[in-house]
Amino acid sequence: MSDTTTGETPGTVPSGDEDLGAAGSQLSTAPVETAVPGSFGGSRAPGAAGWLAWSGREALGWARWFWRQLTSMRVALLLLFLLSLGAVPGSLIPQTGSDALKVQDFRDAHTTLAPVYDELGLFHVYSSVWFSAIYILLFISLIGCIVPRTWQFVGQLRSRPPGAPRRLTRLPAYATWRTAASPDEVREAALKALRQRRFRTHSPKLSAPLEQGGAPTGDAVAAEKGYLREAGNLLFHVALIVLLVAFAWGQLYKTEGNKLVVEGDGFSNTLTQYDDFKSGNLFDDANLVPFSFDLKKFTGTYERTGPQKGTPRIYRADVDYSVGAEGGQRAGSISPNHPLEVGDARVYLVSHGYAPTVTVRDGKGKVVLHQAVPLLPMDPNVTSQGAIKVFDGYRSPQGRSEQLGFEAFFVPTFAGAGKGTMFSQFPALDFPVLAVTGYHGDLGVDAGVPQNVYQLDTKNLKQFKDAKGNIVKARLLPGETMKLPGGAGSITFDKDIKEWAGFQIVQQPGTDWALAGAVAAILGLAGSLFIQRRRVWVRAVEGADGVTVVEIAGLGRSESAKLPEEIGHLAALVHDRAPTHSDADPDREPDADTPAPVEGADTK
């Protein structure tokens, strides 16, 4: 795979500098992409054996070529784009794994489009065949790139910096001067300066005279710096693999469920305790973290005045929880941005409402129901509605066993009779009112068909009516009672109004790995963007007149204004210990291969 931050070919050197040899090679571990070949089989020998040999060479050649393409930067970027593009319908179209009811509503509303979505797997994008294929191909592409590239990088770390090219004047950054210091003194000064600037260096042991047409490659101090650029590049790609693995692991083993808990009640992390539950394909009941908690009190405060009136200020659920079968009770609190963490499980506070306590009696005064009934909020001021159901224990005045149901409408702050419709004016319990109307008959629960606990199925129910045929209904204040006609009993709105909290229990392994992968990817990308790979050579040879000629040159992974600046600083450091020879022959013609020093280099 090519470098993620540049579009140039790895190991690019200035035009016309093919003679740089090893000096300009391996500035990156990225393999060079090849064009589509014509044939790998070569010439075909006659006969069946020749055809078989040719076919084998052809198949092997094309397999290698496809593997190189799969592990190239171009294909990896294409797969990343396809993966992100494939996730778009997963966020726009209802998914079976997250909300089956919305999927069913979509099917009912789009009878023509839904079968097409089914064929394309758009109702379960992340487990579809095509999304999995893109995911796996991207995974293979990254691994196929990283493994050989890592070995090449390790080899570069263990090897010496390459020797200097014969003509340093051809490099993009160059400085030169003549000095009275010996070549060994110059090289010693160069080694010291390079090591001060954290270059990895190598110095020859023997001096060699300057020859016409260029210098030998073994007479210069060689140094290299910027390995962290390639290390950052590799770290970025490894981090992508970690992210992919963490994402797949989390999706396969994740669990997510919701539970509504009334003050005084509790929850135990077992499947039967959830109101709704969904999980990954490899989930097992034994993977659930064993813990339980009791909701002791819910505290909610709201802004009383100003433009933000009614805005929540404090939402906190105080709980006692325990871990494991024999774990001791611990006190804790859960708020919207501070979940309760137990092992790999997190308990989030996601909703809140009221649960008015009601008491239902039959005609003889026997209590058939006494409990806090949670009602679902309809607006920010917690106007709530729901159903109160009596399944067992009730008998009509005629002695028949029946079931009772009440449609309930609750407002925590009532505006008052004659002041408009019955909607709450404020979310706190300032003026609570409960409106009810009753039914009797069969609630339909014995048929075995699931039904919404917050709604009444009135198909087999009769509404209570008085002697004049008017529907029996009432608005009740705390402590008030509504009598049912014909001695059928009563319902009382008790003064004890409880609050409930809705919790989402999420268990998704791999989140820590995903976070570590994301941080590592950012660090690796930053390294590959801001660190420059470069090589520097300092050549010091004795000229024909006995004066040492010093040359400093550098070559970078890509063109950068910082490279000439760095060569200038290095030249200044070396020049301090090997200054310019002041007694040079004024009649000496300048060397054809010795240009003027780069701007910024001290050549006094």
Side-chain angles (χ1 to χ4, degrees):
M1 188 181 297
S2 306
D3 195 301
T4 59
T5 59
T6 63
E8 60 185 314
T9 304
T12 301
V13 296
S15 175
D17 291 347
E18 292 79 4
D19 62 331
L20 291 180
S25 67
Q26 295 185 341
L27 278 172
S28 171
T29 58
V32 179
E33 298 180 10
T34 58
V36 178
S39 173
F40 294 98
S43 59
R44 184 189 305 179
W51 183 86
L52 288 174
W54 178 88
S55 299
R57 293 193 300 270
E58 188 78 2
L60 182 60
W62 278 106
R64 288 176 174 173
W65 182 83
F66 278 116
W67 174 255
R68 287 195 297 269
Q69 301 310 305
L70 181 61
T71 57
S72 67
M73 174 183 167
R74 179 177 60 254
V75 173
L77 291 177
L78 177 61
L79 291 173
L80 277 172
F81 174 74
L82 290 177
L83 194 69
S84 59
L85 191 64
V88 171
S91 60
L92 298 179
I93 300 173
Q95 298 295 292
T96 305
S98 58
D99 199 332
L101 293 177
K102 284 188 177 180
V103 173
Q104 187 58 47
D105 292 341
F106 188 92
R107 294 180 191 275
D108 296 338
H110 305 85
T111 55
T112 303
L113 196 58
V116 178
Y117 283 8
D118 274 325
E119 292 295 328
L120 297 176
L122 297 183
F123 289 125
H124 50 91
V125 168
Y126 303 111
S127 59
S128 63
V129 174
W130 57 268
F131 190 86
S132 300
I134 298 173
Y135 192 90
I136 293 172
L137 284 175
L138 178 59
F139 198 86
I140 294 173
S141 178
L142 289 173
I143 293 178
C145 164
I146 290 173
V147 172
R149 188 166 177 169
T150 301
W151 284 115
Q152 293 179 39
F153 182 57
V154 171
Q156 290 184 16
L157 291 176
R158 299 177 61 184
S159 64
R160 295 175 176 177
R166 297 182 65 86
R167 297 177 182 270
L168 292 181
T169 57
R170 294 181 178 272
L171 298 185
Y174 177 82
T176 184
W177 70 92
R178 291 158 56 84
T179 180
S182 68
D184 289 338
E185 291 175 337
V186 174
R187 284 195 283 267
E188 182 180 352
L191 282 172
K192 183 177 180 180
L194 289 166
R195 287 168 180 169
Q196 284 179 350
R197 302 184 71 86
R198 297 186 298 278
F199 275 85
R200 189 167 66 96
T201 62
H202 173 66
S203 176
K205 295 182 179 180
L206 300 176
S207 300
L210 182 65
E211 297 179 359
Q212 184 67 26
T217 61
D219 59 355
V221 174
E224 192 164 12
K225 189 178 182 181
Y227 286 93
L228 286 180
R229 176 189 178 95
E230 189 62 25
N233 216 347
L234 292 173
L235 178 62
F236 174 76
H237 291 95
V238 171
L240 285 182
I241 292 181
V242 173
L243 282 172
L244 290 174
V245 172
F247 176 77
W249 184 17
Q251 290 298 313
L252 291 174
Y253 289 95
K254 75 172 183 178
T255 65
E256 182 178 308
N258 295 290
K259 179 64 178 179
L260 186 150
V261 183
V262 179
E263 287 178 326
D265 293 342
F267 168 79
S268 179
N269 195 25
T270 59
L271 286 179
T272 56
Q273 290 279 300
Y274 284 93
D275 295 333
D276 62 80
F277 183 85
K278 52 182 178 290
S279 63
N281 295 334
L282 299 182
F283 163 76
D284 186 84
D285 294 1
N287 299 135
L288 287 175
V289 177
F291 74 93
S292 61
F293 66 85
D294 296 324
L295 177 60
K296 308 304 291 183
K297 181 178 177 56
F298 183 90
T299 302
T301 62
Y302 309 90
E303 187 68 38
R304 287 282 177 179
T305 58
Q308 293 186 336
K309 180 181 178 181
T311 302
R313 292 306 179 199
I314 297 177
Y315 260 13
R316 185 181 70 247
D318 296 318
V319 299
D320 288 340
Y321 69 98
S322 61
V323 181
E326 301 178 357
Q329 288 280 344
R330 313 177 197 175
S333 64
I334 308 172
S335 56
N337 294 322
H338 298 85
L340 174 67
E341 298 186 16
V342 184
D344 290 335
R346 288 177 172 83
V347 183
Y348 296 91
L349 177 63
V350 294
S351 58
H352 157 258
Y354 293 103
T357 302
V358 296
T359 301
V360 180
R361 295 177 174 87
D362 62 11
K364 297 180 179 180
K366 176 185 174 183
V367 176
V368 294
L369 177 71
H370 176 73
Q371 71 177 41
V373 181
L375 304 178
L376 297 182
M378 301 167 53
D379 58 31
N381 287 327
V382 203
T383 303
S384 307
Q385 67 177 1
I388 302 169
K389 300 180 181 182
V390 179
F391 299 110
D392 301 308
Y394 175 79
R395 287 187 177 275
S396 67
Q398 294 78 25
R400 296 192 303 268
S401 177
E402 285 188 323
Q403 295 174 332
L404 296 180
F406 298 88
E407 290 180 341
F409 197 86
F410 176 78
V411 290
T413 301
F414 183 44
K419 295 184 179 179
T421 56
M422 186 176 172
F423 283 93
S424 178
Q425 308 301 306
F426 195 73
L429 289 172
D430 292 347
F431 187 8
V433 174
L434 177 66
V436 292
T437 179
Y439 296 81
H440 63 100
D442 183 8
L443 292 172
V445 295
D446 298 331
V449 178
Q451 61 177 233
N452 193 327
V453 296
Y454 303 103
Q455 293 180 350
L456 281 180
D457 182 2
T458 60
K459 182 173 60 176
N460 298 318
L461 294 175
K462 294 182 180 179
Q463 197 165 18
F464 282 108
K465 296 182 180 180
D466 60 18
K468 296 181 180 181
N470 297 321
I471 295 174
V472 177
K473 57 183 179 180
R475 290 176 178 173
L476 304 177
L477 297 176
E480 292 184 345
T481 300
M482 183 183 79
K483 295 287 186 179
L484 299 177
S490 65
I491 178 171
T492 300
F493 177 23
D494 295 341
K495 294 183 178 181
D496 182 19
I497 303 174
K498 295 185 177 181
E499 301 186 50
W500 59 260
F503 298 99
Q504 185 178 69
I505 298 91
V506 177
Q507 187 173 327
Q508 186 167 0
T511 53
D512 293 338
W513 284 99
L515 176 61
V519 172
I522 294 173
L523 293 176
L525 186 60
S528 63
L529 285 172
F530 299 112
I531 297 175
Q532 183 188 13
R533 182 85 174 270
R534 63 269 197 203
R535 290 169 179 164
V536 174
W537 295 274
V538 180
R539 174 175 286 150
V541 293
E542 187 175 307
D545 57 356
V547 179
T548 302
V549 178
V550 183
E551 292 180 290
I552 298 181
L555 179 65
R557 171 74 172 84
S558 58
E559 292 186 6
S560 172
K562 292 184 178 181
L563 182 62
E565 180 181 347
E566 188 165 34
I567 294 299
H569 289 314
L570 287 170
L573 291 174
V574 177
H575 187 272
D576 289 341
R577 297 190 61 181
T580 301
H581 180 51
S582 58
D583 297 331
D585 184 0
D587 297 328
R588 176 182 177 272
E589 294 184 3
D591 194 335
D593 290 330
T594 305
V598 297
E599 183 179 355
D602 190 348
T603 56
K604 296 184 288 183

